[in-house]
Amino acid sequence: MKNVVALLIAAPGSLRRTEAEVLSAARRLADGLGGRVTAVILGAADESWTADAAAYGAERVARVEHAALGSYQAELAVEAARQACLALQAEVCFVPSSTYGLELAPVLAQKLGAAVVADVTAAAGDAATGAVKITKPVYGGKANSELIARQAPLVLAMRSRAVAPVEKKAGAAAEVMKLDVQLDAALAKSTIVERKTEAAGGARLEDARIIVSGGRGLGGREGFALLEELAGLLGGSVGASRAACDQGWVPASWQIGQTGKKVAPELYLAVGISGASQHLVGIGGAKHIVAVNKDEKAPIFQAAEAGVVEDFKTFIPALIQAVKKHKAAEGK
Amino acid sequence: MHLVVCLKQILDPELPPGEFRVDAQKKEAVRGSASLVISVFDENALETALQLRDAAGQGKITALCVGPESAVDALRRALSLRVDEAIRIREEEFPALDGFGTARLLAAAVRKLEPADLVFCGREAGDWHGAMVGGLLAGELQRPFVSLVAGAQRAGEKYALRRQTDEGWETVECAAPAVVSVTNDDANQPRIPKVKDNMMAFRRQIPAWGAAELGVAAASLAGPNAALEFASLYVPKSERQCQVLGGENAEEKAAQMAKKLAEIQVL
Ligand SMILES: Cc1cc2nc3c(=O)[nH]c(=O)nc-3n(C[C@H](O)[C@H](O)[C@H](O)COP(=O)(O)OP(=O)(O)OC[C@H]3O[C@@H](n4cnc5c(N)ncnc54)[C@H](O)[C@@H]3O)c2cc1C
């Protein structure tokens, strides 16, 4: 396998980390295989995406700008991706681990007759055999599985944050082409009639340098108000476990973990979170994990480098005071 | 309105890592004394379907489970939550099933159950996290696929599907027939069965469909993923030492924590 495609789905503004990760995964695999990367940009993305795709190592950038691809529509996006993969003879196609990328992956694979693996943490190529070794955590991160793909085509979705972006080479040259696809508007079977962006508890969790995160142990919204105060002081964002989101204490988009956001802050402060493996999966990229839990046996302490055994109701107000005191002493 | 909900029975995903083992030869988890449960997102899917039926004031729900004999427990649970029919697909007749095979079996069952307006699946199974059956099933049935749905309502001739996105929410309108995958939300937390419904479910016969009933040969189920070699399954090592920040009271511990935060340069 040598022909690697990085499929990018247009979004407003400049190319984001999500796309950088797709391009980087493709670049690394192509390097291992001795192959080449074609970035396929579906829809009318900003012009700058072309140069950015090249900077992340794509040898070729194919822009698919059909009028019907104005904003994401599932069937049209899949059909455009299918035609692009066929035209480019894609052997491996990386899709983004975004809402739309993950929706498209199995449907595209089914149409291409491709094997498909999502939530992949490593994809390594072997130039001698042309095989791809895929690592995919299973059982909520309690085990890893390794799969070897020897046949094309293959559709892969890398887990967010599993791929460190390759070094960006500004000004790198790539062959740029327009790729025509035939799309019939009647293919579209669904319409997005309303879009709503939910308020975040600070900077976007994916980009946050500091995250204060709460779980079921917080017992309600009031607990989260305390965390928001602390996060505000630290200049951080607030995240949550699935249990806290399921209770409706905070929006679903704050969820961190296997099926939530994957985050990589300098500090992840987990409060009232037990540390289930499915939660830990989301914080593998955190540099420092610190935990507050009233149960000294909570598994979160096995993942944390430091921890306090205490009820958050007494501890967090005390920590807020201690942080204020520290800041005052530093003159900040 | 006929809704079909696909359920998978899995090893309790809340099993703590300390008790979790794999059989490296068989390449599967060792069950031990862990219980078997309905995969969490499938419970959310079932709840979403029940709410849609409640709101519509009519409609039929069929639960489908590809699984071994033990899977009747998952289907009983669904019956106790008042689905109308529950059918097991005899996994034992179809060895080495992967996502493609499961999708083909479910598609064959849905075709037998037509008309089926919406077919619900969980966004991913809580054991293998394949996240592909919903999309593959839609492909098999040549129906549209809408992912990460947390609520469904009738909207005239169509359905309004509230779906999670990376930044928030969107509403997708889609005509039946369609396949949706469901994610967790505070709005679709599984309800608790009533005692009398538990008793009713216990008395129900649960049909089991195999190759003969579905008209599907085991050999025809291999899809592209069958070409992947499953090389290994292992438990990754993790060794971390946690420094316990002690103190007589919360204030002392908080001072320790502030010191730690300054040390790692976030304060
Ligand atoms: C397929 C699948 C995907 C999943 N995806 C995710 C995911 O993306 N993210 C996620 O988070 N989970 C996920 N889960 C769920 C996960 O398994 C756990 O159920 C969940 O993380 C538990 O949340 P929690 O730690 O907040 O709650 P609990 O496990 O109930 O823990 C609460 C903790 O709070 C502590 N506590 C209680 N009171 C106090 C107090 N007053 N002060 C201090 N501490 C206190 C308790 O000691 C306990 O440790 C997933 C599960 C499955 C099966």
Side-chain angles (χ1 to χ4, degrees):
Chain A
M1 286 185 254
K2 292 205 183 295
N3 249 337
V4 182
V5 160
L7 185 73
L8 310 181
I9 302 171
S14 45
L15 189 140
R16 303 158 305 178
R17 186 175 166 112
T18 311
E19 289 81 31
E21 288 186 10
V22 177
L23 289 160
S24 301
R27 181 68 263 156
R28 291 223 172 79
L29 180 68
D31 285 345
L33 291 169
R36 68 172 191 160
V37 176
T38 307
V40 172
I41 303 176
L42 280 194
D46 194 80
E47 266 316 305
S48 62
W49 283 39
T50 304
D52 280 344
Y56 282 112
E59 279 100 352
R60 193 160 60 158
V61 181
R63 301 208 55 140
V64 185
E65 290 180 350
H66 195 284
L69 296 173
S71 68
Y72 173 85
Q73 197 289 322
E75 288 78 33
L76 295 173
V78 167
E79 180 52 21
R82 185 189 72 85
Q83 289 181 28
C85 284
L86 288 179
L88 298 165
Q89 296 178 308
E91 291 174 292
V92 183
C93 175
F94 284 97
V95 302
S97 264
S98 58
T99 308
Y100 302 146
L102 292 174
E103 175 169 84
L104 172 143
V107 186
L108 175 65
Q110 211 263 351
K111 294 203 189 299
L112 290 172
V116 53
V117 190
D119 202 23
V120 170
T121 53
D126 180 344
T129 61
V132 180
K133 188 167 101 183
I134 300 162
T135 308
K136 172 180 166 67
V138 292
Y139 293 107
K142 288 187 275 251
N144 277 340
S145 68
E146 276 180 2
L147 305 162
I148 298 172
R150 296 194 174 80
Q151 271 175 39
L154 190 61
V155 173
L156 297 176
M158 301 298 295
R159 171 182 291 179
S160 300
R161 286 278 166 188
V163 181
V166 295
E167 199 195 326
K168 205 173 162 187
K169 296 202 183 85
E175 179 194 337
V176 180
M177 60 190 278
K178 290 242 181 284
L179 203 129
D180 286 329
V181 290
Q182 306 301 316
L183 293 177
D184 178 353
L187 275 177
K189 295 286 185 266
S190 64
T191 325
I192 298 172
V193 294
E194 187 194 358
R195 277 208 171 93
K196 191 167 162 273
T197 303
E198 210 138 45
R204 287 176 77 227
L205 285 168
E206 297 92 320
D207 306 325
R209 203 171 85 74
I210 293 171
I211 297 175
V212 181
S213 197
R216 193 185 337 250
L218 294 200
R221 283 177 211 266
E222 309 72 44
F224 273 92
L226 274 177
L227 296 198
E228 277 169 45
E229 186 181 346
L230 176 61
L233 273 174
L234 294 171
S237 303
V238 181
S241 73
R242 171 175 159 150
C245 295
D246 280 353
Q247 298 293 326
W249 299 338
V250 292
S253 52
W254 293 19
Q255 182 179 318
I256 292 170
Q258 167 80 31
T259 45
K261 300 273 158 35
K262 312 290 187 291
V263 299
E266 288 287 313
L267 169 70
Y268 188 79
L269 178 58
V271 185
I273 292 179
S274 65
S277 62
Q278 295 87 350
H279 185 76
L280 301 181
V281 156
I283 60 174
K287 191 149 172 217
H288 301 283
I289 299 173
V290 177
V292 179
N293 198 300
K294 69 175 184 187
D295 173 10
E296 60 178 345
K297 294 206 183 64
I300 189 73
F301 290 124
Q302 273 144 41
E305 67 177 62
V308 162
V309 182
E310 185 73 56
D311 191 317
F312 87 91
K313 287 191 221 76
T314 48
F315 180 75
I316 298 297
L319 182 58
I320 288 171
Q321 290 316 314
V323 168
K324 282 185 178 159
K325 213 167 119 190
H326 181 92
K327 286 187 143 187
E330 300 265 299
K332 287 186 203 162
Chain B
M1 182 178 67
H2 182 200
L3 310 174
V4 175
V5 183
C6 306
L7 304 171
K8 184 180 186 185
Q9 190 186 46
I10 63 166
L11 190 72
D12 183 1
E14 303 279 343
L15 193 66
E19 291 167 38
F20 179 83
R21 305 268 178 284
V22 298
D23 183 327
Q25 292 297 309
K26 286 197 200 142
K27 296 178 192 133
E28 60 183 36
V30 177
R31 179 172 168 195
S33 57
S35 45
L36 298 174
V37 299
I38 297 180
S39 183
V40 284
F41 298 109
D42 302 352
E43 287 192 304
N44 299 130
L46 175 55
E47 178 61 32
T48 306
L50 288 166
Q51 287 177 8
L52 174 56
R53 186 184 62 181
D54 290 348
Q58 53 91 19
K60 175 180 167 183
I61 302 180
T62 304
L64 279 181
C65 177
V66 180
E69 185 64 47
S70 67
V72 296
D73 293 342
L75 290 166
R76 283 241 148 75
R77 175 86 187 172
L79 284 167
S80 74
L81 292 169
R82 304 200 62 93
V83 305
D84 302 280
E85 301 291 337
I87 299 156
R88 178 171 80 89
I89 299 173
R90 301 163 58 88
E91 190 182 10
E92 59 274 26
E93 290 187 22
F94 309 97
L97 267 187
D98 62 15
F100 279 90
T102 305
R104 283 178 189 167
L105 283 177
L106 290 169
V110 170
R111 283 191 202 103
K112 253 175 94 90
L113 294 165
E114 293 280 24
D117 299 275
L118 295 182
V119 180
F120 292 83
C121 302
R123 64 182 285 176
E124 65 183 54
D127 48 5
W128 292 97
H129 309 286
M132 56 197 277
V133 168
L136 295 176
L137 176 57
E140 288 289 332
L141 292 169
Q142 300 194 334
R143 294 174 166 211
F145 175 53
V146 182
S147 67
L148 304 183
V149 168
Q153 279 181 330
R154 298 298 299 251
E157 290 296 293
K158 295 182 174 170
Y159 289 88
L161 306 166
R162 197 171 103 93
R163 153 267 269 285
Q164 231 178 68
T165 62
D166 300 317
E167 280 86 30
W169 292 96
E170 58 189 34
T171 306
V172 182
E173 267 187 13
C174 188
V179 177
V180 303
S181 79
V182 176
T183 191
N184 63 296
D185 184 49
D186 61 329
N188 64 10
Q189 291 308 299
R191 59 188 71 184
I192 309 289
K194 299 200 177 81
V195 175
K196 74 168 181 13
D197 292 330
N198 268 329
M199 283 157 56
M200 170 278 296
F202 196 72
R203 288 192 298 266
R204 286 281 296 268
Q205 286 291 327
I206 295 180
W209 291 352
E213 289 82 0
L214 293 169
V216 171
S220 71
L221 291 179
N225 274 32
L228 298 174
E229 180 197 338
F230 187 2
S232 68
L233 179 72
Y234 61 93
V235 175
K237 293 224 178 343
S238 87
E239 275 160 33
R240 246 192 169 148
Q241 276 300 324
C242 182
Q243 174 195 2
V244 179
L245 306 173
E248 285 296 314
N249 51 38
E251 284 67 34
E252 284 185 30
K253 292 178 190 174
Q256 294 280 326
M257 174 83 85
K259 210 171 121 209
K260 175 80 192 171
L261 298 187
E263 245 169 60
I264 59 178
Q265 296 178 339
V266 293
L267 180 62

